[in-house]
Amino acid sequence: MRVPEIPEEIAPALRAGDPPAPAQVAARPLIRRSARVPRSRVRLADHDAASLAELLCKAGGTASAARAVAGKVVRHAFGAEPGAPAPAWDAPALAALGVGAWAHEALLALDPGLSLEIAEQAPSTDDTLRLVLRAHDGALIESVLIPGPARTTLCVSSQVGCARACAFCETGRLGLARQLAAGEIVDQVRIARALAAERGGAPLRNLVFMGMGEPFDNLGEVLKAIRLLTDPRAFRFAPSHVTVSTVGVADKIEPFFREARAEIAVSLNAPDDARRQAIMPVNARFPMAALKEALARSLPQGRRVLFEYVLFDGYNDAPEDADLLAAYVAGLRCRVNVIPCNPGPDPALRPPSAARLDAFVARLSGHGVTTLVRRPRGRDVGGACGQLAGIARLRPPSPA
């Protein structure tokens, strides 16, 4: 299977200066409702087709009838192209779909509306768009819309904050506030698809879970969201265009590959345990050998792992470090993305010179390792991956 093309512009956790004053745009509804519903109701986007079928079985349907209705519902609610009229969500609409009255009460108890609203939009000089989204409990979630010539990419968040505390990550300074529900993950995509359609250009077809949070620490909700996003009756994202990034939570790698068809990216960032643990505390629990063993054991046949290696001047960028990195990835079908760092929370972690970057890449490539240099986009608005939520917490966003 072909490894997904991850755009060069998706950069790791790094902080830049304050962004310019963003435009204030209210989120528009993506599905029409006949009546206002309480925010406490479970949302339709919290369900994939399988969990919706389980709900309908509990409502009295047979397994086959529940599956059939679930398929009709996800197609109706989520299958329209961006910009199409919002589908109705009421008893007549369900009846028109051929959904029996036995399922109406359970379905209409679900809120089809968005769980998020746009609090801020910060456009970058390179056309990247950083979004600050507010949940109904006031939590702030950030995602980044990254236009490209062939397709647009969305950098998706999976948590509010992050518990992993990597030294170069602005989001990690927040700690973990809470997990995101599957619907809150999906709604980042719903909002971004509508914005991408309004802006014109390439359609949104690439999703990378490289925003706020460690996806493997919220794996159940992430997997449910991915199943809905890749459902051909709903959002129809190609599984090869959905990539989930992890700091290396080794005991979740096998369940991830068992349950998801999405691709994996592993944030490595050092060639040995001592240096990796100094900047990535996860390494204390899952050392590099354990991480590699989990990948080698669980990686499906024909699949590749994407390693992300952030380059810090004088820390992990020597030619000998390239040798160590090549030895580590040997035996794994992989690609290494080399990422010169941005200024981040630790001022001692600086980007290398162009000469040191080129020498590292040439040395690594010389070992036969497929290597790509990735450049950040959206840096001027705090939109590089890992910057997310840093600036937003320093100054509360204006009302939408």
Side-chain angles (χ1 to χ4, degrees):
M1 181 177 291
R2 183 178 60 84
V3 72
E5 180 182 346
I6 306 299
E8 295 182 8
E9 56 268 22
I10 301 169
L14 308 157
R15 179 176 176 179
D18 289 337
Q24 306 300 317
V25 180
R28 63 181 179 85
L30 298 183
I31 189 164
R32 179 164 43 87
R33 292 179 289 174
S34 300
R36 188 174 180 84
V37 295
R39 289 178 174 176
S40 59
R41 287 167 60 184
V42 175
R43 295 187 178 272
L44 182 60
D46 285 328
H47 286 282
D48 61 6
S51 66
L52 192 59
E54 290 177 9
L55 177 72
L56 292 168
C57 282
K58 294 176 182 176
T62 65
S64 60
R67 286 193 299 269
V69 169
K72 293 176 182 179
V73 166
V74 297
R75 187 186 302 276
H76 172 73
F78 305 120
E81 292 297 323
W89 187 250
D90 52 25
L94 294 179
L97 292 175
V99 175
W102 63 271
H104 288 192
E105 182 178 357
L107 290 172
L108 294 177
L110 302 174
D111 183 350
L114 289 168
S115 60
L116 307 173
E117 62 182 4
I118 300 178
E120 293 185 350
Q121 293 187 62
S124 169
T125 55
D126 60 19
D127 208 29
T128 297
L129 182 65
R130 180 175 65 90
L131 298 173
V132 181
L133 306 173
R134 185 184 294 116
H136 287 310
D137 64 355
L140 295 179
I141 302 157
E142 298 194 35
S143 50
V144 184
L145 196 62
I146 308 165
R151 60 176 176 262
T152 294
T153 294
L154 182 68
C155 186
V156 182
S157 292
S158 57
Q159 297 178 308
V160 182
C162 183
R164 293 298 174 172
C166 297
F168 49 87
C169 181
E170 195 68 58
T171 310
R173 299 177 70 186
L174 300 174
L176 178 63
R178 69 169 175 85
Q179 310 284 12
L180 293 184
E184 291 173 315
I185 297 170
V186 169
D187 284 351
Q188 294 173 64
V189 180
R190 295 169 76 189
I191 290 170
R193 279 211 319 174
L195 287 172
E198 291 172 2
R199 298 176 94 205
L204 175 58
R205 290 181 178 164
N206 207 49
L207 302 177
V208 290
F209 284 73
M210 298 180 181
M212 296 171 61
E214 165 53 53
F216 280 14
D217 288 344
N218 189 22
L219 189 56
E221 296 301 300
V222 167
L223 291 172
K224 191 184 294 183
I226 289 173
R227 285 192 289 267
L228 183 58
L229 291 167
T230 58
D231 192 323
R233 298 163 296 188
F235 295 95
R236 300 184 295 279
F237 283 90
S240 61
H241 289 175
V242 179
T243 300
V244 179
S245 180
T246 176
V247 296
V249 186
D251 62 348
K252 298 293 181 64
I253 290 174
E254 190 276 332
F256 170 78
F257 281 124
R258 185 178 65 243
E259 300 292 336
R261 293 184 296 156
E263 305 295 335
I264 192 171
V266 176
S267 188
L268 198 59
N269 307 327
D272 56 55
D273 281 316
R275 279 179 285 178
R276 189 168 191 265
Q277 189 163 322
I279 59 174
M280 300 183 69
V282 68
N283 199 82
R285 182 176 178 191
F286 300 112
M288 293 175 66
L291 176 59
K292 182 175 181 178
E293 192 277 332
L295 287 167
R297 182 181 67 250
S298 305
L299 192 66
Q301 187 174 8
R303 300 274 287 276
R304 289 200 288 182
V305 58
L306 173 66
F307 286 108
E308 297 171 302
Y309 192 90
V310 181
L311 218 57
F312 304 108
D313 183 46
Y315 187 79
N316 63 353
D317 63 343
E320 295 79 10
D321 296 330
D323 297 340
L324 290 172
L325 178 57
Y328 179 76
V329 303
L332 291 174
R333 182 176 170 83
C334 70
R335 188 181 84 198
V336 177
N337 276 5
V338 177
I339 310 162
C341 82
N342 294 326
D346 186 344
L349 298 176
R350 301 180 301 272
S353 67
R356 287 182 70 86
L357 169 63
D358 291 345
F360 184 91
V361 170
R363 186 78 163 236
L364 187 60
S365 299
H367 287 288
V369 178
T370 303
T371 308
L372 175 68
V373 177
R374 236 177 48 193
R375 308 285 182 180
R377 284 179 56 185
R379 183 188 297 177
D380 58 317
V381 294
C385 295
Q387 287 184 298
L388 303 185
I391 294 169
R393 297 317 190 277
L394 295 177
R395 53 162 183 76
S398 303

